[in-house]
Amino acid sequence: MLRGGVLFGFPAHCGEPRSAWFGANAEGRAVLGEVAAKYSIDPESIDAALYSDLRPQAILQSFSKLSAAQLLERYDLAQYQAVPLGAVRVHAWVRFTSPADYRQLFRPLQFRRLLHTIQKDGSGYQLDIDGPFRLFDTCAV
């Protein structure tokens, strides 16, 4: 949710010792000592450095501060965005005052090739969008 304003960093020496460790065709503390000496790192920190460039080992360096209202707004938006992901079908009735607003809604549906139907319904439109789970709607579990 906060990925946009977050900066993760990795230790500068993390990738090379791992390559050297896995590139060596021997096992044991002797190889660990050679790699540590080559990169001027103590052998105990080599184990930590082997995987320190992978995403789960990243160190949070900074983040954009958000107010409670901004965080709540992002949370609500994420909730709305998550609805279609688990949906079989999304039904919506839309009514805008200008044709440009309708185009702004309908063009992305066509551009992304989402399966949808649009029907005139009084002063607005009825919109049915098939979700990802529509493929499995007729499957028996």
Side-chain angles (χ1 to χ4, degrees), residues 82-91 115-116 128-139:
V83 168
L85 294 178
V88 172
R89 177 173 284 152
V90 176
H91 300 285
L115 298 175
H116 64 281
D128 292 325
I129 306 169
D130 288 344
F133 285 96
R134 177 75 171 135
L135 297 171
F136 309 109
D137 190 31
T138 58
C139 296

Side-chain angles (χ1 to χ4, degrees), residues 101-119:
D101 292 334
Y102 285 112
R103 283 191 295 272
Q104 188 177 2
L105 175 65
F106 297 152
R107 276 193 182 144
L109 291 173
Q110 293 172 342
F111 178 75
R112 291 182 177 88
R113 297 184 179 186
L114 296 174
L115 298 175
H116 64 281
T117 57
I118 302 170
Q119 296 176 347

Side-chain angles (χ1 to χ4, degrees), residues 74-93:
R74 284 191 181 190
Y75 176 79
D76 287 341
L77 178 61
Q79 293 292 326
Y80 297 136
Q81 290 172 335
V83 168
L85 294 178
V88 172
R89 177 173 284 152
V90 176
H91 300 285
W93 287 268

Side-chain angles (χ1 to χ4, degrees), residues 91-95 121 125-128:
H91 300 285
W93 287 268
V94 293
R95 184 173 54 219
D121 185 19
Y125 288 90
Q126 179 180 340
L127 179 63
D128 292 325

Side-chain angles (χ1 to χ4, degrees), residues 13 17 29 32 36 40-52:
H13 62 275
R29 291 287 175 200
L32 187 64
S40 303
I41 306 169
D42 61 296
E44 289 75 30
S45 66
I46 289 287
D47 285 333
L50 288 177
Y51 298 99
S52 63

